Coordinates of all heavy atoms in Angstrom, one line a residue:
L1 N 117.6 152.3 92.0 CA 117.4 153.7 91.6 C 117.3 153.8 90.1 O 118.1 153.4 89.3 CB 118.6 154.5 92.1 CG 118.5 156.0 91.8 CD1 117.3 156.7 92.5 CD2 119.8 156.7 92.3
L2 N 116.2 154.4 89.6 CA 115.9 154.7 88.2 C 116.1 156.1 87.9 O 115.5 157.0 88.5 CB 114.5 154.2 87.9 CG 114.0 154.2 86.4 CD1 115.0 153.4 85.6 CD2 112.6 153.7 86.3
L3 N 117.1 156.5 87.0 CA 117.5 157.8 86.7 C 117.1 158.3 85.3 O 117.2 157.4 84.4 CB 119.0 158.0 86.9 CG 119.6 157.5 88.2 CD1 121.1 157.3 88.0 CD2 119.3 158.6 89.2
T4 N 116.9 159.5 85.1 CA 116.9 160.1 83.8 C 118.3 160.2 83.3 O 119.2 160.2 84.1 CB 116.2 161.5 83.7 OG1 117.0 162.4 84.5 CG2 114.7 161.4 84.3
L5 N 118.5 160.4 82.0 CA 119.8 160.6 81.5 C 120.5 161.9 82.1 O 121.6 161.9 82.4 CB 119.8 160.7 79.9 CG 121.1 160.9 79.3 CD1 122.1 159.7 79.6 CD2 121.0 161.0 77.8
E6 N 119.7 162.9 82.2 CA 120.2 164.2 82.8 C 120.7 163.9 84.3 O 121.7 164.4 84.7 CB 119.1 165.2 82.8 CG 119.6 166.6 83.3 CD 119.4 166.8 84.8 OE1 118.4 166.3 85.3 OE2 120.2 167.4 85.4
E7 N 119.9 163.1 85.0 CA 120.3 162.8 86.4 C 121.6 162.0 86.4 O 122.5 162.2 87.3 CB 119.2 162.1 87.1 CG 118.0 163.0 87.5 CD 116.8 162.2 87.9 OE1 116.7 161.0 87.6 OE2 115.9 162.8 88.6
W8 N 121.7 161.0 85.5 CA 122.9 160.2 85.4 C 124.1 161.0 85.1 O 125.2 160.9 85.7 CB 122.7 159.1 84.4 CG 124.0 158.4 84.1 CD1 124.7 158.4 82.9 CD2 124.7 157.5 84.9 NE1 125.8 157.7 83.0 CE2 125.9 157.1 84.2 CE3 124.6 157.1 86.2 CZ2 126.8 156.2 84.7 CZ3 125.5 156.2 86.8 CH2 126.6 155.8 86.0
E9 N 124.0 161.9 84.1 CA 125.1 162.8 83.8 C 125.6 163.7 84.9 O 126.7 163.9 85.1 CB 124.8 163.6 82.5 CG 124.7 162.7 81.3 CD 124.2 163.4 80.0 OE1 123.6 164.5 80.2 OE2 124.3 162.9 78.9
R10 N 124.6 164.2 85.7 CA 124.9 165.0 86.8 C 125.5 164.3 88.0 O 126.3 164.8 88.7 CB 123.6 165.8 87.2 CG 123.8 166.8 88.3 CD 122.5 167.7 88.5 NE 121.3 167.0 88.3 CZ 120.5 166.5 89.3 NH1 120.9 166.6 90.5 NH2 119.4 166.0 89.0
L11 N 125.0 163.1 88.2 CA 125.4 162.3 89.4 C 126.3 161.1 89.2 O 126.6 160.4 90.2 CB 124.1 161.8 90.1 CG 123.1 162.9 90.6 CD1 121.8 162.2 91.0 CD2 123.7 163.8 91.7
A12 N 126.7 160.9 88.0 CA 127.5 159.7 87.7 C 128.7 159.5 88.6 O 129.0 158.4 89.0 CB 127.9 159.7 86.2
G13 N 129.4 160.6 88.8 CA 130.6 160.5 89.7 C 130.3 160.0 91.1 O 131.0 159.1 91.6
S14 N 129.2 160.5 91.6 CA 128.9 160.1 93.0 C 128.2 158.7 93.1 O 128.1 158.1 94.1 CB 128.0 161.2 93.7 OG 126.8 161.4 93.0
L15 N 127.7 158.3 91.9 CA 126.9 157.0 91.9 C 127.8 155.8 91.5 O 127.3 154.7 91.5 CB 125.7 157.1 91.0 CG 124.6 158.0 91.4 CD1 123.5 158.1 90.4 CD2 124.0 157.4 92.7
R16 N 129.1 156.0 91.2 CA 129.9 154.9 90.8 C 130.0 153.9 91.8 O 130.3 152.7 91.5 CB 131.3 155.5 90.4 CG 131.4 156.4 89.3 CD 131.5 155.7 88.0 NE 131.6 156.8 86.9 CZ 131.1 156.6 85.7 NH1 130.5 155.5 85.4 NH2 131.2 157.6 84.9
H17 N 129.9 154.2 93.1 CA 130.0 153.2 94.2 C 128.6 153.0 94.8 O 128.5 152.5 96.0 CB 131.0 153.7 95.2 CG 132.3 153.9 94.6 ND1 133.1 152.9 94.2 CD2 133.0 155.1 94.4 CE1 134.2 153.4 93.7 NE2 134.2 154.7 93.8
W18 N 127.5 153.3 94.1 CA 126.2 153.0 94.6 C 126.0 151.5 94.8 O 126.4 150.7 93.9 CB 125.2 153.5 93.6 CG 123.7 153.4 94.0 CD1 122.8 152.5 93.5 CD2 123.0 154.3 94.8 NE1 121.6 152.7 94.0 CE2 121.7 153.8 94.9 CE3 123.4 155.4 95.6 CZ2 120.7 154.4 95.6 CZ3 122.4 156.0 96.4 CH2 121.1 155.5 96.4
D19 N 125.5 151.1 96.0 CA 125.4 149.7 96.3 C 124.1 149.0 95.9 O 123.9 147.8 96.2 CB 125.7 149.4 97.8 CG 124.7 150.0 98.7 OD1 123.8 150.8 98.2 OD2 124.7 149.7 99.9
Q20 N 123.3 149.7 95.2 CA 122.0 149.1 94.7 C 122.0 149.2 93.2 O 122.8 149.9 92.6 CB 120.8 150.0 95.2 CG 120.6 149.9 96.7 CD 120.2 148.5 97.2 OE1 119.4 147.9 96.6 NE2 120.9 148.0 98.2
P21 N 121.1 148.4 92.5 CA 121.1 148.4 91.1 C 120.7 149.8 90.6 O 119.9 150.5 91.2 CB 120.0 147.4 90.8 CG 119.9 146.5 91.9 CD 120.3 147.4 93.1
L22 N 121.2 150.1 89.4 CA 120.9 151.4 88.8 C 120.1 151.2 87.5 O 120.4 150.2 86.7 CB 122.2 152.2 88.4 CG 122.9 152.8 89.6 CD1 124.3 153.3 89.1 CD2 122.1 153.9 90.3
G23 N 119.2 152.0 87.2 CA 118.4 152.0 86.0 C 118.4 153.3 85.3 O 118.7 154.4 85.9
L24 N 118.2 153.4 84.0 CA 118.2 154.6 83.2 C 117.0 154.7 82.4 O 116.5 153.7 81.8 CB 119.5 154.5 82.3 CG 119.7 155.7 81.4 CD1 120.1 156.9 82.3 CD2 120.9 155.4 80.4
I25 N 116.4 155.9 82.3 CA 115.3 156.2 81.5 C 115.7 157.0 80.2 O 116.4 158.0 80.4 CB 114.2 157.1 82.2 CG1 113.8 156.4 83.5 CG2 113.1 157.5 81.3 CD1 113.0 157.3 84.4
L26 N 115.4 156.5 79.1 CA 115.7 157.1 77.8 C 114.4 157.5 77.1 O 113.5 156.7 77.1 CB 116.5 156.2 76.9 CG 117.9 155.8 77.5 CD1 118.6 154.8 76.5 CD2 118.8 157.0 77.7
T27 N 114.4 158.7 76.5 CA 113.2 159.2 75.8 C 113.1 158.9 74.4 O 112.1 159.1 73.8 CB 113.1 160.7 76.0 OG1 114.2 161.3 75.3 CG2 113.1 161.1 77.5
G28 N 114.2 158.5 73.7 CA 114.1 158.2 72.3 C 115.0 159.2 71.5 O 115.4 158.9 70.4

């Protein structure tokens, strides 16, 4: 799963136990 920073901040708690690799998109 590839997330924006906003998505990560919103969903971080529920994704702590995500069983697939996580990715992050940063805009600069």
Side-chain angles (χ1 to χ4, degrees):
L1 181 60
L2 188 55
L3 305 162
T4 65
L5 181 58
E6 184 271 323
E7 290 168 336
W8 168 250
E9 289 171 345
R10 182 170 38 97
L11 300 171
S14 61
L15 290 173
R16 298 275 183 211
H17 301 290
W18 184 257
D19 65 348
Q20 293 294 316
L22 288 173
L24 182 66
I25 301 170
L26 298 176
T27 64

